[in-house]
């Protein structure tokens, strides 16, 4: 009797083990720890090598070998795509650690090699993720990269803020308000009198006698320190930075000889507040100094509503586009009361909404008596590929039991940003309602859908857009209000409209 050589089943199992390991690396990277992209090349080489050995050594069951080989091809494709084309590879968005979002001390010194490594890391992911880098680095970006590198070379002292400034100077050129540096300082010190002025309703118009417009236009000063598409949003970003010692240092404003904050009161008076370095205090001291309770005992929520029967009006205040059960339940409860009380005017207040998930708009529209509405188109950057997603028409899955057939209004400001702007764009371009207030904080033809990367040495975070959006029907320009007014007057204008009904 002829004896056949017994086949080792491990020859077939090995490629499958490598495939599972390679694919498992993707969620591990997203949620647990970072790893270089080339790890997928190693996995792919291992899978390919195991497949070749299997074909050579395993003499029988050709059909089985073909089947396993197909899995190997799929595994290699998924592994390479998961690292080199996945815009979230090595991002920190999904990692459950607040510490990842904090940079090192603003004045911590870095070596040239460390600063250059952070710069190269930032440009690497801009090239990989941002739609404007598809096909290569734009010439103006390459030039600014060289300028940033020369600044590091010539600096006697490179701080974390120096690194952030130079990388932000690159982001600024993209004309993309979503792509910018994020600085959360672990030891941030706040100007202790800021809260008094906010509580009094005073409007911060500038600093050291310079208006926000002057600061944004001054090319040797704050010109490129913030990313914006609408100047009003740029002013908003600057006003946030000047509230802290670290933010002022980032803007290049010294507090050594004091800083003067310029305000305008509700009655139009101009007043100044002078602050010295000792007036900038840690968060705990700031809260204690201003007698602010650092808890949620007041029950404040990002979404809440008020029904005014006398004015035949309901106002839904939405301070962030958070799509969760609280949002959905609140909106449903509001429309229940609207139906019960016969309210015919509804306003959505987006004046302090910095964005989030655009599904909040889709959910809200389900209560409107509209069969369908148009959504915008976009180009989605996936590493080696750019995927075009054309404009679509959404069939509205209406809540027929609570359908609202009255008048819809949106209240907007330059702080209505990203998904809040998207909400306004749906209403404006589909003729669903009336917008009152100021233009939104970014353009419909803009970038968005962000991913965040932590720089290895400074610890600062770089936020990058992954999509280029296009306004519906190729319309141009900002989402302009139908009724223009200062943002703080928008609610009053809404009630005036209700009285006309």
């Amino acid at each position: 009797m002829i004896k056949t050589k017994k086949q080792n089943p491990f020859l077939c199992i090995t490629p499958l083990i490598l495939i599972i390991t390679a694919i498992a690396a993707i969620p591990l990277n997203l949620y647990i720890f970072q790893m270089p992209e080339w790890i997928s090349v190693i996995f792919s080489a291992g899978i390919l090598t195991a497949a070749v050995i299997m074909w050579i050594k395993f003499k029988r069951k050709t059909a089985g070998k073909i089947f396993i080989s197909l899995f190997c091809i799929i595994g290699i494709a998924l592994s390479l795509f998961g690292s080199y084309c996945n815009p979230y590879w090595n991002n920190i968005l999904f990692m459950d650690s607040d510490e990842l979002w904090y940079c090192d001390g603003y004045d911590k010194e870095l070596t040239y090699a460390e600063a250059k490594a952070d710069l190269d890391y930032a440009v690497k992911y801009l090239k990989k993720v941002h739609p404007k880098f598809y096909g290569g680095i734009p010439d103006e970006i390459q030039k600014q990269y060289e300028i940033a590198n020369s600044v590091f070379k010539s600096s006697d002292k490179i701080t974390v803020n120096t690194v952030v400034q130079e990388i932000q100077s690159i982001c600024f050129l993209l004309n993309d308000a979503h792509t910018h540096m994020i600085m959360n300082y672990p030891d941030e010190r706040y100007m202790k009198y800021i809260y008094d002025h906010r509580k009094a309703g005073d409007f911060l118009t500038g600093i050291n006698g310079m208006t926000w417009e002057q600061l944004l236009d001054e090319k040797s000063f704050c010109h490129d320190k913030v990313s914006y598409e609408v100047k009003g949003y740029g002013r908003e970003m600057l006003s946030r930075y000047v509230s802290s010692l670290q933010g002022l240092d980032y803007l290049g404003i010294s507090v050594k000889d004091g800083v003067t904050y310029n305000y305008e009161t509700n009655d139009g008076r101009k007043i100044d507040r002078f602050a010295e370095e000792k007036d900038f205090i840690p968060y705990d001291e700031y809260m204690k100094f201003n007698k602010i309770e650092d808890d949620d005992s007041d029950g404040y929520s990002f979404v809440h509503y008020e029904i005014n029967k006398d004015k035949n009006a309901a106002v839904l205040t939405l301070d962030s586009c958070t799509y969760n059960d609280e949002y959905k339940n609140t909106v449903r409860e509001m429309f229940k009361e609207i139906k019960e009380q016969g309210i015919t005017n509804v306003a959505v207040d987006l004046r302090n909404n910095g964005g989030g998930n655009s599904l909040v708009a889709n959910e809200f529209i389900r209560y409107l008596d509209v069969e369908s509405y148009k959504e915008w188109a976009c180009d989605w950057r996936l590493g080696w590929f750019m995927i075009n997603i054309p404009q679509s028409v959404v069939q509205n899955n209406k809540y027929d039991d609570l359908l609202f057939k009255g008048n819809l209004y949106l209240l907007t400001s330059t702080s209505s940003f990203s998904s809040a702007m998207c909400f306004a764009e749906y209403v404006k371009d589909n003729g669903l309602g009336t917008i009152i207030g100021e233009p939104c904080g970014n353009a419909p033809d803009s970038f968005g859908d962000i991913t965040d990367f932590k720089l290895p040495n400074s610890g600062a975070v770089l936020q990058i857009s992954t999509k280029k959006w296009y306004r519906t029907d190729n319309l141009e320009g900002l989402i302009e209000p139908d009724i223009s007014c200062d943002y703080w007057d928008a609610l009053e204008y809404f009630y005036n409209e209700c009285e006309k009904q």
Side-chain angles (χ1 to χ4, degrees):
M1 184 172 70
I2 300 175
K3 292 184 178 181
T4 58
K5 186 176 180 181
K6 188 176 181 180
Q7 300 294 314
N8 184 356
F10 190 68
L11 292 173
C12 294
I13 297 174
T14 300
L16 296 178
I17 293 174
L18 289 171
I19 291 170
I20 293 171
T21 305
I23 295 175
I26 298 172
L28 285 173
N29 176 268
L30 294 180
Y31 295 99
I32 306 299
F33 56 86
Q34 298 184 348
M35 58 188 83
E37 283 88 348
W38 49 256
I39 197 73
S40 63
V41 176
I42 294 176
F43 279 127
S44 298
I47 293 169
L48 184 61
T49 300
V52 170
I53 293 174
M54 178 194 68
W55 271 97
I56 295 172
K57 298 291 187 180
F58 205 83
K59 301 299 184 183
R60 301 170 61 183
K61 299 182 180 179
T62 300
K65 290 194 291 185
I66 293 174
F67 183 74
I68 293 174
S69 296
L70 289 175
F71 268 101
C72 289
I73 293 171
I74 294 172
I76 290 172
L78 288 175
S79 180
L80 292 174
F81 187 88
S83 60
Y84 284 96
C85 301
N86 175 11
Y88 302 104
W89 182 269
N90 278 343
N91 88 108
I92 62 171
L93 267 176
F94 309 110
M95 295 186 178
D96 187 20
S97 174
D98 292 339
E99 291 183 3
L100 286 173
W101 294 93
Y102 286 90
C103 64
D104 295 332
Y106 77 105
D107 55 354
K108 174 188 172 182
E109 292 191 39
L110 282 74
T111 65
Y112 165 73
E114 290 171 332
K116 175 69 160 47
D118 274 13
L119 176 63
D120 290 341
Y121 190 87
V123 172
K124 169 188 173 181
Y125 282 102
L126 284 167
K127 287 169 60 179
K128 175 185 177 181
V129 169
H130 199 281
K132 202 164 185 176
F133 285 76
Y134 188 67
I137 302 180
D139 291 341
E140 69 271 22
I141 300 297
Q142 180 62 41
K143 181 178 179 182
Q144 191 62 39
Y145 166 84
E146 293 168 359
I147 291 173
N149 188 38
S150 66
V151 168
F152 294 155
K153 282 184 176 179
S154 60
S155 295
D156 295 329
K157 178 181 178 182
I158 305 173
T159 66
V160 167
N161 265 355
T162 306
V163 172
V164 172
Q165 288 169 345
E166 295 308 314
I167 296 176
Q168 175 58 36
S169 71
I170 292 174
C171 297
F172 172 78
L173 296 175
L174 298 173
N175 191 33
D176 172 9
H178 282 86
T179 298
H180 59 86
M181 295 299 298
I182 298 174
M183 291 80 71
N184 292 315
Y185 304 101
D187 55 348
E188 196 147 16
R189 291 164 57 190
Y190 301 91
M191 203 280 272
K192 62 184 181 182
Y193 304 117
I194 286 277
Y195 182 76
D196 280 343
H197 290 283
R198 287 177 180 168
K199 191 166 58 173
D202 298 335
F203 182 69
L204 185 60
T205 60
I207 194 165
N208 288 341
M210 296 184 71
T211 66
W212 301 128
E213 286 76 9
Q214 290 173 323
L215 290 168
L216 288 172
D217 291 339
E218 180 55 60
K219 296 189 183 299
S220 62
F221 201 35
C222 298
H223 169 65
D224 57 0
K225 298 297 190 302
V226 295
S227 296
Y228 62 92
E229 298 154 32
V230 178
K231 272 199 170 180
Y233 186 75
R235 293 195 300 267
E236 173 68 21
M237 296 305 293
L238 283 180
S239 68
R240 295 179 190 178
Y241 285 127
V242 300
S243 66
S244 75
L245 178 69
Q246 288 83 347
L248 286 167
D249 180 84
Y250 166 70
L251 295 177
I253 301 173
S254 173
V255 299
K256 183 178 180 181
D257 298 320
V259 179
T260 301
Y261 291 78
N262 311 123
Y263 285 96
E264 183 176 318
T265 64
N266 280 327
D267 57 4
R269 292 180 298 110
K270 297 185 184 302
I271 59 174
D272 293 332
R273 167 73 77 169
F274 181 76
E276 300 177 276
E277 188 169 355
K278 64 182 177 61
D279 294 321
F280 292 84
I281 56 180
Y283 177 77
D284 290 342
E285 291 182 31
Y286 173 85
M287 299 294 283
K288 184 176 180 181
F289 178 82
N290 289 289
K291 299 180 174 61
I292 305 171
E293 295 295 328
D294 190 13
D295 58 42
D296 297 322
S297 59
D298 60 357
Y300 178 82
S301 170
F302 74 95
V303 57
H304 51 277
Y305 69 90
E306 180 179 345
I307 303 273
N308 190 321
K309 180 67 174 177
D310 293 337
K311 295 182 181 293
N312 186 25
V315 178
L316 177 73
T317 300
L318 185 62
D319 288 340
S320 73
C321 290
T322 303
Y323 183 67
N324 59 11
D325 288 339
E326 181 181 359
Y327 169 73
K328 290 186 284 186
N329 292 337
T330 301
V331 174
R332 186 163 187 82
E333 288 301 316
M334 180 186 74
F335 278 109
K336 278 184 181 179
E337 288 197 41
I338 286 172
K339 183 177 181 179
E340 291 168 358
Q341 300 189 39
I343 301 297
T344 60
N345 298 289
V346 172
V348 182
D349 189 348
L350 302 172
R351 289 176 294 174
N352 295 306
N353 193 314
N357 191 330
S358 62
L359 287 177
V360 298
N362 302 84
E363 176 70 13
F364 188 91
I365 293 173
R366 295 181 67 183
Y367 292 93
L368 305 183
D369 189 20
V370 56
E371 297 300 324
S372 63
Y373 56 96
K374 293 173 287 190
E375 284 190 323
W376 46 10
C378 76
D379 290 328
W380 190 12
R381 178 73 189 280
L382 297 175
W384 299 326
F385 308 99
M386 183 81 86
I387 309 298
N388 176 257
I389 302 174
Q391 178 179 311
S392 62
V393 175
V394 178
Q395 296 303 311
N396 192 23
N397 184 18
K398 296 183 287 186
Y399 291 122
D400 292 319
D401 59 327
L402 293 175
L403 212 56
F404 177 71
K405 299 183 180 182
N407 305 302
L408 174 65
Y409 298 85
L410 259 63
L411 313 183
T412 62
S413 73
T414 53
S415 295
S416 304
F417 184 73
S418 192
S419 291
M421 183 279 297
C422 176
F423 201 144
E425 192 265 350
Y426 284 172
V427 170
K428 179 80 170 182
D429 292 347
N430 287 284
L432 303 180
T434 301
I435 298 178
I436 302 175
E438 300 172 337
C440 292
N442 65 306
D445 282 326
S446 61
F447 301 95
D449 261 21
I450 54 92
T451 181
D452 295 276
F453 300 94
K454 188 175 182 66
L455 304 185
N457 297 306
S458 64
V461 174
L462 171 61
Q463 177 175 291
I464 308 177
S465 296
T466 66
K467 291 179 180 177
K468 173 67 170 75
W469 300 101
Y470 300 95
R471 189 173 179 180
T472 55
D473 295 337
N474 296 314
L475 296 172
E476 296 181 353
L478 302 176
I479 302 300
E480 298 282 356
D482 301 293
I483 301 174
S484 182
C485 65
D486 290 328
Y487 75 92
W488 54 78
D489 292 327
L491 187 61
E492 180 182 350
Y493 273 69
F494 163 62
Y495 286 134
N496 289 340
E497 291 298 307
C498 295
E499 293 176 359
K500 298 177 183 178
Q501 305 302 324

